[in-house]
Amino acid sequence: MCEAIFEILKDDNSLELIMASYRLLTELDKHFPRVYASKVEKSQLPSPSSVPELVVVEEAWSPFISGSDSEREDANKNSGSLDFAGFEILIQDLAKAAVGRKMEEFETKYLRNMVLLQYLISVLEGDFVPRNSVFKENMDWNLLRVSLLNMILGSRRISYKDIIRGCVSIICEMSHLHAEHSDDMTLPKSSSAELFKLLDTAGAISFPEVRKCSFRAFQKFLLMAMELDTSRKKADIQGLTTRADGVRTPVVEIIQDELTYNRDAISPFFQVFNEPQWKMEILLQYFQKYIAKPSVRTRRSSEPIEDATFDGVLKCFSNINSVKSIIKKISIEVAQLLLAHAFQAYLSLSFQHSADGSCKSKEDVRDSSMAEVCKNIISAFMNLRRIDERVEILPFGKEALFTAATILSTKS
């Protein structure tokens, strides 16, 4: 039944059937999960160290085809499921459509692919989240090794980096619509007339909401991939990985490289990528690329590098010579954007820390540190102005300065 419904979602041209099949599949997944952590009552636990067991329903249907080439070929002939290469093709097609398509080229197929990818990413989430949760408790890397997400990203049949780059491109292109219509489903005024002419009324009305949900799904995909990298690193440190696991460039590095070579994407990407911990991590890696490193370091130093934290970055911007060195490699406008977004992420982490009493980030977000960071942000922008008095502070930079000044005034 699931296979038949998925084939409708994948191949049908009726928007009504596409949305109905999507809703039905997601409801079935909620009621009949393929992977879940067993709920064990505390009184039934044999010891305090016991953790819930991961339950995998082996006979459950999956929209993804894995296995040998012959098995995938047979499955492709006899079912409507997708192999990993098909998943990559969907992302690449959607990335090209988001960047290159003109308004008159939008069609039901474009909407269908967005909905299809939303469902596939929800399947990856349902498989990965419980596995990663149990992994954090028992450090059994095998649970994540056979996860769909790890198998897709580690498959030799696809270009892993192209998938990540495609997601970044889609997020950047969708960011404008997401920012303008985050609270409603209205169409952009400039495009509504064209869309109504080319799509039926239902398609035109659903278009903004579908794009918004697709944006969230792709951001979720990147976050899961980064979480997988973190768990893989922990497993690697403990010697749980093998040569068979291969070597994969961390997602954060791929995103950082993509933003380095396409600086026009910096503003739209960070404007909507709103997970503060990973946003800070990407920004710090970006800064690391352009901050001068000390000439001498011990070979096996385990001490953290000072400029690997936001506080360390701000200290670099407090030195006018260091700022000049950074600005030679990136423009003052880019430096403003990076500083302002890093400050925004820092404040979000601080809020999380005060709300739940804990913080996963390596940043110090105590009240005593907050005032110092605000002073350093103001100092960093002042040094940028000292280098070029004609430079104009960007609106987002002005917001960061205003926020820092306001926080300082309340703490004085």
Side-chain angles (χ1 to χ4, degrees):
M1 181 180 68
C2 290
E3 184 177 305
I5 298 170
F6 180 74
E7 196 161 355
I8 294 173
L9 172 61
K10 187 169 70 75
D11 298 325
D12 208 283
N13 290 320
S14 165
L15 184 61
E16 183 179 3
L17 287 176
I18 291 169
M19 298 308 299
S21 58
Y22 168 75
R23 287 194 296 268
L24 185 53
L25 284 171
T26 52
E27 285 299 316
L28 286 170
D29 288 349
K30 289 178 183 178
H31 287 84
F32 305 102
R34 302 172 183 85
V35 181
Y36 61 93
S38 62
K39 297 180 180 180
V40 182
E41 298 294 334
K42 292 183 178 180
S43 58
Q44 297 177 354
L45 294 175
S47 68
S49 61
S50 297
V51 295
E53 182 182 1
L54 188 74
V55 178
V56 180
V57 183
E58 300 290 351
E59 66 274 15
W61 172 84
S62 172
F64 291 102
I65 305 170
S66 59
S68 65
D69 291 340
S70 59
E71 290 173 337
R72 292 196 335 274
E73 186 176 349
D74 291 339
N76 274 318
K77 290 179 180 178
N78 301 321
S79 76
S81 301
L82 284 174
D83 60 8
F84 296 156
F87 179 73
E88 179 190 11
I89 290 171
L90 273 172
I91 291 179
Q92 294 303 323
D93 285 349
L94 195 55
K96 292 176 184 177
V99 174
R101 279 181 181 264
K102 297 180 180 179
M103 186 58 61
E104 60 268 18
E105 296 174 334
F106 283 116
E107 54 190 18
T108 304
K109 179 182 176 182
Y110 181 63
L111 292 172
R112 182 184 66 215
N113 285 346
M114 285 195 286
V115 175
L116 177 58
L117 278 166
Q118 286 179 45
Y119 174 67
L120 294 175
I121 291 173
S122 73
V123 171
L124 294 177
E125 181 186 23
D127 179 76
F128 173 74
V129 171
R131 289 178 184 274
N132 197 45
S133 177
V134 175
F135 167 80
K136 291 177 181 179
E137 297 291 338
N138 62 16
M139 296 303 293
D140 183 358
W141 170 243
N142 287 322
L143 299 177
L144 287 176
R145 177 183 283 128
V146 297
S147 67
L148 285 171
L149 183 63
N150 188 61
M151 288 194 292
I152 288 177
L153 299 183
S155 174
R156 295 181 180 180
R157 307 182 192 108
I158 66 168
S159 173
Y160 153 67
K161 291 185 178 181
D162 284 346
I163 285 182
I164 302 302
R165 293 188 187 111
C167 290
V168 172
S169 176
I170 292 168
I171 287 174
C172 290
E173 292 302 320
M174 289 184 174
S175 64
H176 305 293
L177 182 87
H178 178 79
E180 294 174 9
H181 304 282
S182 58
D183 298 322
D184 59 66
M185 295 174 56
T186 57
L187 286 166
K189 292 181 181 179
S190 60
S191 64
S192 58
E194 292 90 338
L195 274 173
F196 269 104
K197 291 177 183 177
L198 298 155
L199 294 175
D200 56 23
T201 304
I205 292 174
S206 65
F207 179 74
E209 184 67 12
V210 171
R211 286 195 70 177
K212 184 168 67 175
C213 293
S214 297
F215 161 80
R216 291 171 181 165
F218 281 107
Q219 178 170 264
K220 187 181 296 181
F221 178 79
L222 290 181
L223 293 175
M224 286 192 294
M226 289 186 276
E227 288 288 349
L228 177 60
D229 285 343
T230 300
S231 296
R232 180 190 172 100
K233 185 176 180 180
K234 291 178 181 178
D236 190 49
I237 291 173
Q238 297 194 19
L240 302 176
T241 57
T242 66
R243 293 180 64 182
D245 289 307
V247 178
R248 193 168 68 236
T249 305
V251 174
V252 171
E253 291 185 21
I254 298 174
I255 295 175
Q256 181 258 313
D257 286 341
E258 185 69 9
L259 297 179
T260 298
Y261 295 112
N262 182 14
R263 292 180 178 173
D264 290 338
I266 292 176
S267 181
F269 180 81
F270 286 122
Q271 185 178 1
V272 294
F273 189 80
N274 52 19
E275 211 298 313
Q277 178 191 350
W278 289 111
K279 183 175 183 177
M280 179 67 81
E281 189 69 28
I282 296 169
L283 286 161
L284 290 178
Q285 288 221 18
Y286 199 108
F287 278 121
Q288 285 294 293
K289 193 177 181 72
Y290 300 105
I291 291 177
K293 309 296 189 300
S295 57
V296 178
R297 280 195 182 153
T298 58
R299 280 188 306 156
R300 291 182 173 270
S301 175
S302 59
E303 296 183 8
I305 303 170
E306 185 184 61
D307 56 12
T309 65
F310 184 44
D311 189 54
V313 168
L314 291 178
K315 287 181 180 178
C316 290
F317 274 87
S318 67
N319 184 299
I320 194 68
N321 291 326
S322 178
V323 175
K324 288 180 179 178
S325 176
I326 296 171
I327 296 307
K328 285 181 181 178
K329 303 168 187 175
I330 60 176
S331 67
I332 291 181
E333 289 74 17
V334 170
Q336 288 185 51
L337 286 172
L338 297 177
L339 284 170
H341 280 291
F343 183 52
Q344 183 188 62
Y346 179 88
L347 294 177
S348 297
L349 289 170
S350 176
F351 177 78
Q352 289 182 1
H353 177 67
S354 60
D356 57 24
S358 62
C359 186
K360 297 179 182 178
S361 173
K362 59 189 174 184
E363 299 297 334
D364 182 359
V365 291
R366 298 170 300 180
D367 287 342
S368 58
S369 173
M370 178 67 72
E372 191 66 26
V373 166
C374 291
K375 292 177 183 177
N376 290 336
I377 275 287
I378 295 172
S379 174
F381 274 89
M382 288 178 64
N383 281 338
L384 291 175
R385 289 294 299 270
R386 289 192 182 101
I387 292 175
D388 186 355
E389 293 182 355
R390 295 171 298 176
V391 70
E392 187 173 335
I393 302 298
L394 300 175
F396 193 55
K398 291 178 180 178
E399 290 181 23
L401 288 172
F402 177 79
T403 303
T406 303
I407 293 174
L408 284 175
S409 66
T410 59
K411 293 184 178 296
S412 59

